[in-house]
Coordinates of all heavy atoms in Angstrom, one line a residue:
M166 N 0.8 -1.2 -0.1 CA -0.1 0.0 0.0 C 0.9 1.2 0.0 O 1.8 1.4 0.7 CB -0.9 0.0 1.3 CG -1.8 1.1 1.3 SD -3.2 0.9 2.5 CE -2.4 1.1 4.0
H167 N 0.7 2.1 -0.8 CA 1.4 3.3 -1.0 C 0.9 4.4 -0.1 O -0.4 4.6 0.2 CB 1.3 3.9 -2.4 CG 2.0 3.0 -3.3 ND1 3.3 2.7 -3.4 CD2 1.4 2.2 -4.3 CE1 3.6 1.9 -4.4 NE2 2.4 1.5 -4.9
S168 N 1.7 5.2 0.5 CA 1.4 6.4 1.4 C 0.7 7.5 0.6 O 1.2 7.8 -0.5 CB 2.7 6.9 2.1 OG 2.2 8.0 2.9
T169 N -0.4 8.0 1.1 CA -1.1 9.0 0.3 C -0.7 10.4 0.9 O -1.2 11.4 0.5 CB -2.6 8.8 0.5 OG1 -3.0 8.8 1.8 CG2 -3.0 7.5 -0.2
G170 N 0.0 10.4 2.0 CA 0.5 11.7 2.6 C -0.5 12.2 3.7 O -0.4 13.4 4.1
T171 N -1.5 11.5 4.0 CA -2.5 12.0 4.9 C -2.0 11.9 6.3 O -1.0 11.1 6.5 CB -3.8 11.2 4.9 OG1 -3.6 9.9 5.2 CG2 -4.5 11.3 3.5
D172 N -2.5 12.6 7.2 CA -2.1 12.6 8.6 C -2.2 11.2 9.2 O -1.4 10.7 9.9 CB -2.9 13.6 9.5 CG -2.4 15.0 9.1 OD1 -1.4 15.2 8.6 OD2 -3.2 15.9 9.5
E173 N -3.3 10.5 8.8 CA -3.5 9.2 9.4 C -2.4 8.2 8.9 O -1.9 7.4 9.7 CB -4.8 8.6 8.9 CG -5.3 7.3 9.5 CD -6.7 6.8 9.0 OE1 -7.5 7.6 8.9 OE2 -6.7 5.6 8.6
N174 N -2.0 8.2 7.7 CA -0.9 7.3 7.2 C 0.5 7.7 7.8 O 1.3 6.9 7.8 CB -0.8 7.4 5.6 CG -2.0 6.7 5.0 OD1 -2.6 5.8 5.6 ND2 -2.3 7.1 3.9
N175 N 0.7 9.0 8.1 CA 1.9 9.4 8.6 C 2.0 9.4 10.1 O 3.0 9.8 10.7 CB 2.3 10.8 8.0 CG 2.6 10.9 6.6 OD1 2.9 9.8 6.1 ND2 2.1 11.9 5.9
A176 N 0.9 9.2 10.9 CA 0.9 9.2 12.3 C 1.9 8.0 12.7 O 2.0 7.0 12.2 CB -0.4 8.8 12.8
K177 N 2.7 8.4 13.8 CA 3.6 7.5 14.4 C 3.0 6.7 15.5 O 3.3 7.1 16.6 CB 5.0 8.3 14.7 CG 5.5 9.1 13.5 CD 6.9 9.1 13.5 CE 7.3 9.8 12.2 NZ 8.4 10.1 11.8
G178 N 2.3 5.7 15.2 CA 1.7 5.0 16.3 C 2.3 3.6 16.4 O 2.1 3.0 17.4
G179 N 3.2 3.2 15.5 CA 3.8 1.8 15.6 C 5.2 1.9 16.2 O 5.8 3.0 16.2
R180 N 5.7 0.8 16.6 CA 7.0 0.8 17.3 C 7.7 -0.5 16.7 O 7.1 -1.6 16.6 CB 6.9 0.6 18.8 CG 8.4 0.7 19.4 CD 8.1 1.0 20.9 NE 9.4 1.1 21.6 CZ 10.1 2.2 21.7 NH1 9.8 3.3 21.1 NH2 11.3 2.1 22.2
L181 N 8.9 -0.4 16.4 CA 9.8 -1.5 15.9 C 11.1 -1.6 16.7 O 11.7 -0.6 16.9 CB 10.1 -1.2 14.5 CG 11.0 -2.2 13.8 CD1 10.3 -3.7 13.7 CD2 11.4 -1.8 12.4
E182 N 11.3 -2.8 17.2 CA 12.6 -2.9 18.0 C 13.4 -4.1 17.4 O 12.8 -5.0 16.8 CB 12.2 -3.4 19.5 CG 11.5 -2.2 20.2 CD 11.3 -2.6 21.7 OE1 12.1 -3.3 22.3 OE2 10.3 -2.2 22.2
A183 N 14.7 -4.0 17.4 CA 15.5 -5.1 16.9 C 16.8 -5.0 17.7 O 17.3 -4.0 18.1 CB 15.8 -4.7 15.4
R184 N 17.4 -6.2 17.9 CA 18.6 -6.5 18.6 C 19.7 -6.4 17.5 O 19.5 -7.3 16.6 CB 18.6 -7.7 19.3 CG 17.6 -7.7 20.5 CD 18.4 -7.9 21.8 NE 17.4 -8.0 22.9 CZ 17.5 -7.1 23.9 NH1 18.4 -6.1 23.8 NH2 16.6 -7.2 24.9
I185 N 20.7 -5.5 17.6 CA 21.8 -5.5 16.7 C 23.1 -5.5 17.5 O 23.2 -5.1 18.5 CB 21.6 -4.3 15.8 CG1 21.7 -3.0 16.6 CG2 20.4 -4.3 14.8 CD1 21.7 -1.7 15.7
S186 N 24.1 -5.8 16.7 CA 25.4 -5.8 17.4 C 25.9 -4.3 17.5 O 25.4 -3.4 16.8 CB 26.5 -6.5 16.5 OG 26.7 -5.8 15.3
N187 N 26.9 -4.1 18.3 CA 27.5 -2.8 18.5 C 28.1 -2.3 17.2 O 28.0 -1.2 16.9 CB 28.5 -2.8 19.6 CG 27.8 -3.0 21.0 OD1 26.7 -2.5 21.2 ND2 28.6 -3.6 21.9
Q188 N 28.7 -3.3 16.4 CA 29.3 -2.9 15.2 C 28.2 -2.4 14.1 O 28.4 -1.4 13.5 CB 30.0 -4.1 14.6 CG 30.8 -3.8 13.3 CD 31.5 -5.0 12.8 OE1 31.5 -6.2 13.4 NE2 32.2 -4.9 11.7
Q189 N 27.1 -3.1 14.1 CA 26.0 -2.7 13.2 C 25.5 -1.3 13.7 O 25.3 -0.4 12.8 CB 24.8 -3.7 13.3 CG 25.2 -5.0 12.6 CD 24.1 -6.0 12.8 OE1 23.6 -6.2 14.0 NE2 23.7 -6.7 11.7
K190 N 25.3 -1.1 15.0 CA 24.8 0.2 15.5 C 25.7 1.4 15.0 O 25.4 2.4 14.7 CB 24.6 0.2 16.9 CG 24.0 1.5 17.5 CD 23.5 1.5 18.9 CE 22.9 2.8 19.3 NZ 22.5 2.8 20.6
R191 N 27.1 1.0 15.2 CA 28.1 2.2 14.9 C 27.9 2.5 13.2 O 28.0 3.5 12.9 CB 29.4 1.7 15.3 CG 29.8 1.8 16.7 CD 31.3 1.6 17.0 NE 31.7 0.3 16.5 CZ 31.7 -0.7 17.2 NH1 31.3 -0.8 18.5 NH2 32.2 -1.9 16.8
L192 N 27.8 1.4 12.5 CA 27.7 1.5 11.1 C 26.4 2.3 10.7 O 26.6 3.4 9.9 CB 27.8 0.2 10.3 CG 27.5 0.3 8.9 CD1 28.6 0.9 8.2 CD2 27.4 -1.2 8.4
F193 N 25.3 2.0 11.3 CA 24.0 2.6 11.0 C 24.1 4.1 11.4 O 23.6 5.0 10.8 CB 22.9 1.9 11.7 CG 22.7 0.4 11.2 CD1 22.0 -0.4 12.0 CD2 23.3 -0.1 10.0 CE1 21.7 -1.7 11.7 CE2 23.1 -1.3 9.7 CZ 22.3 -2.2 10.4
K194 N 24.6 4.2 12.6 CA 24.7 5.7 13.1 C 25.7 6.6 12.3 O 25.3 7.7 11.9 CB 25.2 5.6 14.6 CG 25.1 6.9 15.3 CD 25.4 6.7 16.7 CE 25.1 8.1 17.4 NZ 25.3 8.0 18.9
R195 N 26.8 6.0 11.8 CA 27.7 6.7 11.0 C 27.1 7.0 9.6 O 27.1 8.2 9.1 CB 29.0 5.9 10.7 CG 29.9 6.5 9.8 CD 30.6 7.7 10.4 NE 31.6 8.3 9.4 CZ 31.8 9.5 9.2 NH1 31.0 10.3 9.8 NH2 32.6 9.9 8.3
A196 N 26.3 6.1 9.0 CA 25.6 6.3 7.8 C 24.5 7.4 8.0 O 24.4 8.4 7.1 CB 24.9 5.1 7.3
A197 N 23.8 7.4 9.0 CA 22.9 8.4 9.3 C 23.5 9.8 9.5 O 22.9 10.8 8.9 CB 22.0 8.0 10.6
E198 N 24.6 9.8 10.2 CA 25.3 11.1 10.3 C 25.7 11.7 9.0 O 25.6 12.8 8.6 CB 26.5 11.0 11.3 CG 26.1 10.8 12.7 CD 27.3 10.3 13.6 OE1 28.4 10.0 13.0 OE2 27.1 10.2 14.7
L199 N 26.3 10.8 8.1 CA 26.7 11.2 6.7 C 25.6 11.8 5.9 O 25.8 12.7 5.2 CB 27.4 10.0 6.0 CG 28.7 9.6 6.6 CD1 29.1 8.3 6.0 CD2 29.8 10.7 6.4
Q200 N 24.3 11.3 6.3 CA 23.1 11.8 5.5 C 22.5 12.9 6.2 O 21.6 13.5 5.7 CB 22.2 10.6 5.3 CG 22.5 9.7 4.3 CD 21.3 8.7 3.9 OE1 20.4 8.6 4.6 NE2 21.5 8.1 2.7
G201 N 23.0 13.4 7.5 CA 22.4 14.4 8.1 C 21.1 14.0 8.7 O 20.3 15.0 8.8
S202 N 21.0 12.8 9.1 CA 19.7 12.4 9.6 C 19.8 11.7 11.1 O 21.0 11.4 11.3 CB 18.8 11.5 8.7 OG 19.4 10.3 8.5
T203 N 18.8 11.5 11.7 CA 18.9 10.7 12.9 C 19.0 9.2 12.7 O 18.7 8.8 11.5 CB 17.7 11.0 13.9 OG1 16.5 10.4 13.2 CG2 17.4 12.4 14.1
L204 N 19.5 8.5 13.6 CA 19.5 7.1 13.5 C 18.2 6.4 13.2 O 18.0 5.7 12.3 CB 20.2 6.4 14.7 CG 20.3 4.8 14.7 CD1 21.1 4.4 13.5 CD2 20.9 4.4 16.0
T205 N 17.2 6.9 13.9 CA 15.8 6.3 13.8 C 15.3 6.7 12.3 O 14.7 5.8 11.6 CB 14.9 7.0 14.8 OG1 15.2 6.6 16.0 CG2 13.4 6.6 14.5
D206 N 15.4 8.0 11.8 CA 15.0 8.3 10.5 C 15.8 7.6 9.4 O 15.1 7.2 8.5 CB 15.1 9.8 10.3 CG 14.1 10.7 11.0 OD1 13.2 10.2 11.6 OD2 14.4 11.9 11.2
F207 N 17.0 7.4 9.6 CA 17.8 6.6 8.7 C 17.3 5.1 8.5 O 17.1 4.6 7.5 CB 19.3 6.6 9.1 CG 20.1 5.7 8.2 CD1 20.5 6.1 6.9 CD2 20.6 4.5 8.6 CE1 21.3 5.4 6.1 CE2 21.3 3.6 7.8 CZ 21.7 4.1 6.6
V208 N 17.1 4.5 9.8 CA 16.7 3.2 9.8 C 15.3 3.1 9.1 O 15.1 2.1 8.3 CB 16.7 2.6 11.3 CG1 16.1 1.1 11.3 CG2 18.2 2.6 11.7
V209 N 14.4 3.8 9.5 CA 13.0 3.8 9.1 C 13.0 4.0 7.5 O 12.4 3.2 6.8 CB 12.1 4.8 9.7 CG1 10.7 4.9 9.0 CG2 12.0 4.4 11.2
S210 N 13.7 5.0 7.0 CA 13.7 5.3 5.6 C 14.4 4.2 4.8 O 13.9 3.8 3.6 CB 14.3 6.7 5.2 OG 15.7 6.7 5.6
T211 N 15.5 3.7 5.3 CA 16.2 2.6 4.6 C 15.3 1.3 4.6 O 15.2 0.7 3.5 CB 17.6 2.4 5.2 OG1 18.3 3.5 5.3 CG2 18.4 1.3 4.6
L212 N 14.7 1.0 5.7 CA 14.0 -0.1 5.7 C 12.6 0.0 4.9 O 12.3 -1.0 4.1 CB 13.4 -0.4 7.2 CG 12.7 -1.7 7.5 CD1 13.4 -2.9 7.2 CD2 12.3 -1.8 9.1
Q213 N 12.2 1.2 4.8 CA 11.0 1.4 3.9 C 11.3 1.2 2.5 O 10.6 0.5 1.7 CB 10.3 2.8 4.2 CG 9.1 3.0 3.3 CD 8.4 4.3 3.8 OE1 8.8 5.0 4.7 NE2 7.4 4.7 3.0
A214 N 12.5 1.7 2.0 CA 12.9 1.6 0.7 C 13.2 0.1 0.3 O 12.8 -0.4 -0.8 CB 14.2 2.4 0.5
A215 N 13.9 -0.5 1.2 CA 14.1 -2.0 1.0 C 12.8 -2.7 0.9 O 12.6 -3.6 0.0 CB 15.0 -2.5 2.2
A216 N 11.8 -2.5 1.8 CA 10.5 -3.3 1.8 C 9.8 -2.9 0.6 O 9.1 -3.9 -0.1 CB 9.8 -2.8 3.0
A217 N 9.8 -1.7 0.1 CA 9.1 -1.4 -1.3 C 9.8 -2.1 -2.4 O 9.0 -2.6 -3.3 CB 9.2 0.2 -1.4
R218 N 11.1 -2.3 -2.3 CA 11.7 -3.0 -3.4 C 11.3 -4.6 -3.4 O 11.0 -5.0 -4.5 CB 13.2 -2.9 -3.3 CG 13.9 -1.7 -4.0 CD 15.4 -1.8 -4.1 NE 16.1 -2.2 -2.8 CZ 16.4 -1.4 -1.9 NH1 16.2 -0.1 -1.9 NH2 17.0 -1.9 -0.8
V219 N 11.3 -5.1 -2.3 CA 10.9 -6.5 -2.1 C 9.5 -6.7 -2.6 O 9.2 -7.6 -3.3 CB 11.1 -7.0 -0.7 CG1 10.5 -8.4 -0.4 CG2 12.5 -7.1 -0.3
V220 N 8.6 -5.9 -2.1 CA 7.2 -6.0 -2.6 C 7.1 -5.9 -4.0 O 6.3 -6.6 -4.7 CB 6.4 -5.0 -1.9 CG1 4.8 -4.9 -2.4 CG2 6.2 -5.3 -0.3
Q221 N 7.7 -4.9 -4.7 CA 7.6 -4.7 -6.1 C 8.2 -6.0 -6.9 O 7.7 -6.4 -7.8 CB 8.4 -3.4 -6.6 CG 8.3 -3.3 -8.0 CD 8.7 -1.9 -8.5 OE1 8.9 -1.0 -7.8 NE2 8.6 -1.7 -9.8
E222 N 9.4 -6.5 -6.4 CA 9.8 -7.7 -7.0 C 8.9 -8.9 -7.0 O 8.9 -9.6 -8.0 CB 11.1 -8.1 -6.3 CG 12.3 -7.2 -6.5 CD 13.5 -7.7 -5.7 OE1 13.5 -8.7 -5.0 OE2 14.5 -6.8 -5.5
Y223 N 8.1 -9.0 -6.0 CA 7.1 -10.1 -5.8 C 5.8 -9.8 -6.5 O 5.1 -10.7 -6.9 CB 7.0 -10.5 -4.4 CG 8.0 -11.3 -4.0 CD1 9.2 -10.7 -3.3 CD2 8.0 -12.7 -3.9 CE1 10.3 -11.6 -2.9 CE2 9.0 -13.6 -3.5 CZ 10.2 -12.9 -3.0 OH 11.2 -13.7 -2.5
E224 N 5.4 -8.5 -6.7 CA 4.1 -8.1 -7.2 C 4.1 -7.8 -8.6 O 3.2 -7.8 -9.3 CB 3.5 -7.1 -6.3 CG 3.0 -7.5 -5.1 CD 2.4 -6.4 -4.3 OE1 2.3 -5.2 -4.7 OE2 1.8 -6.7 -3.1
V225 N 5.3 -7.4 -9.2 CA 5.4 -6.9 -10.5 C 6.2 -8.0 -11.5 O 7.2 -8.4 -11.1 CB 6.2 -5.6 -10.7 CG1 6.4 -5.2 -12.0 CG2 5.5 -4.5 -9.9
M226 N 5.5 -8.4 -12.5 CA 6.1 -9.4 -13.4 C 6.8 -8.6 -14.5 O 6.1 -7.8 -15.2 CB 5.1 -10.3 -14.0 CG 5.7 -11.3 -14.9 SD 4.4 -12.5 -15.5 CE 2.9 -11.8 -15.7
T227 N 8.1 -8.9 -14.7 CA 8.8 -8.2 -15.7 C 9.3 -9.3 -16.8 O 9.9 -10.3 -16.3 CB 10.1 -7.5 -15.2 OG1 9.6 -6.5 -14.2 CG2 10.9 -6.8 -16.3
L228 N 8.8 -9.1 -18.0 CA 9.1 -10.1 -19.0 C 10.1 -9.3 -20.0 O 10.0 -8.2 -20.4 CB 7.9 -10.5 -19.7 CG 6.9 -11.3 -18.9 CD1 5.6 -11.6 -19.7 CD2 7.5 -12.6 -18.3
A229 N 10.9 -10.1 -20.7 CA 11.7 -9.6 -21.7 C 11.7 -10.5 -23.0 O 11.4 -11.7 -22.9 CB 13.2 -9.7 -21.2
G230 N 11.9 -9.8 -24.1 CA 11.9 -10.4 -25.4 C 10.9 -11.4 -25.7 O 9.7 -11.0 -25.8
K231 N 11.2 -12.6 -25.9 CA 10.3 -13.6 -26.5 C 9.1 -13.8 -25.5 O 8.0 -14.0 -25.8 CB 11.1 -14.9 -26.8 CG 10.3 -15.9 -27.5 CD 9.9 -15.6 -28.9 CE 9.2 -16.7 -29.5 NZ 8.5 -16.3 -30.9
D232 N 9.4 -13.9 -24.2 CA 8.4 -14.1 -23.1 C 7.4 -13.1 -23.2 O 6.2 -13.3 -23.1 CB 9.1 -14.1 -21.7 CG 10.0 -15.2 -21.6 OD1 9.7 -16.3 -22.2 OD2 10.8 -15.2 -20.8
R233 N 7.8 -11.8 -23.4 CA 6.8 -10.7 -23.4 C 5.9 -10.9 -24.7 O 4.6 -10.7 -24.6 CB 7.5 -9.4 -23.5 CG 6.6 -8.2 -23.5 CD 7.3 -6.8 -23.6 NE 8.5 -6.7 -24.3 CZ 9.7 -6.5 -23.8 NH1 9.9 -6.4 -22.5 NH2 10.8 -6.4 -24.6
E234 N 6.5 -11.3 -25.8 CA 5.7 -11.6 -27.0 C 4.7 -12.6 -26.9 O 3.5 -12.4 -27.2 CB 6.7 -11.9 -28.2 CG 7.5 -10.6 -28.7 CD 8.6 -11.1 -29.7 OE1 8.3 -12.2 -30.4 OE2 9.5 -10.4 -29.8
I235 N 5.1 -13.7 -26.2 CA 4.2 -14.8 -25.9 C 3.0 -14.5 -25.1 O 1.9 -14.7 -25.4 CB 4.9 -16.0 -25.5 CG1 5.9 -16.6 -26.5 CG2 4.0 -17.1 -24.9 CD1 6.9 -17.6 -26.0
F236 N 3.4 -13.6 -24.0 CA 2.3 -13.2 -23.1 C 1.4 -12.3 -23.7 O 0.1 -12.5 -23.6 CB 3.1 -12.5 -21.8 CG 2.1 -12.1 -20.8 CD1 1.5 -13.0 -19.9 CD2 1.8 -10.7 -20.7 CE1 0.6 -12.6 -18.9 CE2 1.0 -10.3 -19.6 CZ 0.3 -11.2 -18.8
V237 N 1.7 -11.3 -24.5 CA 1.0 -10.4 -25.1 C 0.0 -11.1 -26.1 O -1.1 -10.8 -26.2 CB 1.7 -9.1 -25.7 CG1 0.8 -8.4 -26.6 CG2 2.3 -8.3 -24.6
S238 N 0.6 -12.0 -26.9 CA -0.2 -12.7 -27.9 C -1.2 -13.6 -27.2 O -2.3 -13.6 -27.6 CB 0.8 -13.7 -28.7 OG 1.7 -13.0 -29.4
A239 N -0.9 -14.1 -26.1 CA -1.9 -15.0 -25.3 C -3.1 -14.1 -24.9 O -4.1 -14.5 -24.8 CB -1.3 -15.7 -24.2
L240 N -2.7 -12.9 -24.4 CA -3.8 -11.9 -23.9 C -4.6 -11.5 -25.2 O -5.9 -11.4 -25.0 CB -3.2 -10.7 -23.3 CG -2.5 -10.9 -21.9 CD1 -1.9 -9.6 -21.4 CD2 -3.6 -11.4 -20.9
L241 N -4.0 -11.1 -26.3 CA -4.7 -10.5 -27.4 C -5.5 -11.6 -28.1 O -6.5 -11.4 -28.8 CB -3.8 -9.8 -28.3 CG -3.1 -8.6 -27.7 CD1 -2.1 -8.0 -28.8 CD2 -4.0 -7.6 -27.4
A242 N -5.0 -12.9 -28.2 CA -5.7 -13.9 -28.9 C -5.6 -15.2 -28.1 O -4.9 -16.1 -28.4 CB -5.0 -14.2 -30.3
P243 N -6.4 -15.2 -27.1 CA -6.5 -16.4 -26.2 C -6.9 -17.8 -27.0 O -7.8 -17.7 -27.8 CB -7.4 -16.1 -25.1 CG -8.3 -15.0 -25.6 CD -7.5 -14.3 -26.6
S244 N -6.3 -18.8 -26.6 CA -6.8 -20.1 -27.3 C -8.1 -20.5 -26.6 O -8.5 -20.2 -25.6 CB -5.7 -21.2 -27.0 OG -5.5 -21.4 -25.7
I245 N -8.9 -21.3 -27.5 CA -10.2 -21.8 -27.1 C -9.9 -23.0 -26.3 O -9.2 -24.0 -26.6 CB -11.0 -22.1 -28.3 CG1 -11.3 -20.8 -29.1 CG2 -12.4 -22.7 -27.8 CD1 -11.9 -21.1 -30.5
P246 N -10.6 -23.0 -25.1 CA -10.4 -24.2 -24.2 C -10.9 -25.6 -24.9 O -11.9 -25.5 -25.6 CB -11.4 -23.9 -22.9 CG -11.6 -22.4 -23.1 CD -11.5 -22.1 -24.5
K247 N -10.1 -26.6 -24.6 CA -10.5 -27.9 -25.2 C -10.5 -29.0 -24.1 O -9.9 -28.8 -23.0 CB -9.5 -28.4 -26.3 CG -9.3 -27.3 -27.4 CD -8.3 -27.8 -28.3 CE -8.0 -26.7 -29.3 NZ -6.8 -26.9 -30.1
G248 N -11.1 -30.0 -24.4 CA -11.2 -31.2 -23.3 C -11.5 -30.9 -22.0 O -12.6 -30.3 -21.6
R249 N -10.6 -31.3 -21.0 CA -10.8 -31.1 -19.5 C -11.0 -29.6 -19.2 O -11.9 -29.2 -18.4 CB -9.8 -31.7 -18.7 CG -9.9 -33.2 -18.9 CD -8.7 -34.0 -18.1 NE -8.1 -33.3 -17.1 CZ -7.0 -33.7 -16.3 NH1 -6.6 -34.9 -16.7 NH2 -6.5 -33.1 -15.5
L250 N -10.3 -28.8 -19.8 CA -10.4 -27.3 -19.6 C -11.7 -26.8 -19.9 O -12.4 -26.0 -19.2 CB -9.3 -26.5 -20.3 CG -9.2 -25.1 -20.0 CD1 -9.2 -24.7 -18.4 CD2 -8.1 -24.4 -20.6
K251 N -12.3 -27.3 -21.1 CA -13.6 -26.8 -21.5 C -14.7 -27.4 -20.6 O -15.6 -26.5 -20.2 CB -13.8 -27.4 -23.0 CG -15.1 -26.9 -23.6 CD -15.2 -27.3 -25.0 CE -16.4 -26.7 -25.7 NZ -16.5 -27.1 -27.1
K252 N -14.6 -28.5 -20.0 CA -15.4 -29.0 -19.0 C -15.4 -28.2 -17.8 O -16.4 -27.9 -17.2 CB -15.2 -30.5 -18.7 CG -15.6 -31.5 -19.9 CD -15.2 -32.9 -19.6 CE -15.4 -33.8 -20.7 NZ -15.1 -35.1 -20.6
A253 N -14.2 -27.9 -17.3 CA -14.0 -27.0 -16.1 C -14.6 -25.7 -16.3 O -15.3 -25.2 -15.3 CB -12.5 -27.0 -15.8
V254 N -14.5 -25.1 -17.5 CA -15.1 -23.8 -17.7 C -16.6 -23.9 -17.7 O -17.3 -23.1 -17.0 CB -14.7 -23.3 -19.1 CG1 -15.5 -22.0 -19.5 CG2 -13.2 -22.9 -19.1
S255 N -17.1 -25.0 -18.2 CA -18.6 -25.2 -18.1 C -19.1 -25.4 -16.7 O -20.1 -24.7 -16.3 CB -19.1 -26.4 -19.0 OG -18.7 -26.3 -20.3
R256 N -18.4 -26.1 -16.0 CA -18.8 -26.4 -14.5 C -18.7 -25.0 -13.8 O -19.6 -24.6 -13.0 CB -17.9 -27.4 -13.8 CG -18.2 -28.8 -14.1 CD -17.5 -29.8 -13.2 NE -16.0 -29.6 -13.1 CZ -15.1 -30.1 -13.8 NH1 -15.4 -30.9 -14.8 NH2 -13.9 -29.8 -13.5
Y257 N -17.7 -24.2 -14.0 CA -17.5 -22.9 -13.3 C -18.7 -22.0 -13.7 O -19.3 -21.3 -12.8 CB -16.1 -22.3 -13.9 CG -16.0 -20.9 -13.2 CD1 -15.5 -20.7 -12.0 CD2 -16.3 -19.9 -14.1 CE1 -15.4 -19.4 -11.5 CE2 -16.1 -18.5 -13.6 CZ -15.6 -18.4 -12.3 OH -15.6 -17.0 -11.9
K258 N -19.0 -21.9 -15.0 CA -20.1 -21.1 -15.4 C -21.4 -21.5 -14.7 O -22.2 -20.7 -14.3 CB -20.2 -21.1 -16.9 CG -19.1 -20.3 -17.6 CD -19.3 -20.3 -19.1 CE -18.2 -19.5 -19.7 NZ -18.3 -19.4 -21.2
K259 N -21.7 -22.8 -14.7 CA -22.9 -23.3 -14.0 C -22.9 -22.9 -12.5 O -24.0 -22.6 -12.0 CB -23.0 -24.8 -14.2 CG -23.3 -25.2 -15.6 CD -23.5 -26.8 -15.7 CE -23.7 -27.1 -17.1 NZ -23.6 -28.6 -17.3
L260 N -21.9 -23.0 -11.9 CA -21.7 -22.7 -10.4 C -21.9 -21.3 -10.2 O -22.5 -20.8 -9.1 CB -20.4 -23.1 -9.9 CG -20.2 -24.6 -9.7 CD1 -18.8 -25.0 -9.2 CD2 -21.1 -25.2 -8.6
M261 N -21.4 -20.4 -11.1 CA -21.5 -19.0 -10.9 C -22.7 -18.4 -11.3 O -23.1 -17.2 -11.0 CB -20.3 -18.3 -11.7 CG -18.9 -18.6 -11.1 SD -18.8 -18.1 -9.4 CE -18.3 -19.5 -8.6
D262 N -23.6 -19.1 -12.0 CA -24.9 -18.5 -12.5 C -25.9 -18.4 -11.3 O -26.0 -19.1 -10.5 CB -25.5 -19.4 -13.7 CG -24.8 -18.9 -15.0 OD1 -24.2 -17.9 -15.0 OD2 -24.9 -19.7 -15.8

């Protein structure tokens, strides 16, 4: 879900805790300082960006070359169901009526 910028979406009501090593904390704190932000702001913004990338990787299908052509062709000119698939379509239509 994308943030819409409303007060409700930006309200800070949640809390996140994590155990990290002292070495990790020093690294995160240094990175935050280099960006001119607080450790909390750095961790939250970095985690949010990483989470958005992961969600996009799992929700967006990217096809290249021949795969894209096959997919688009199937959408534009779907094949007519035969055999068991045709029977399944008929059963589905009967159930949904």
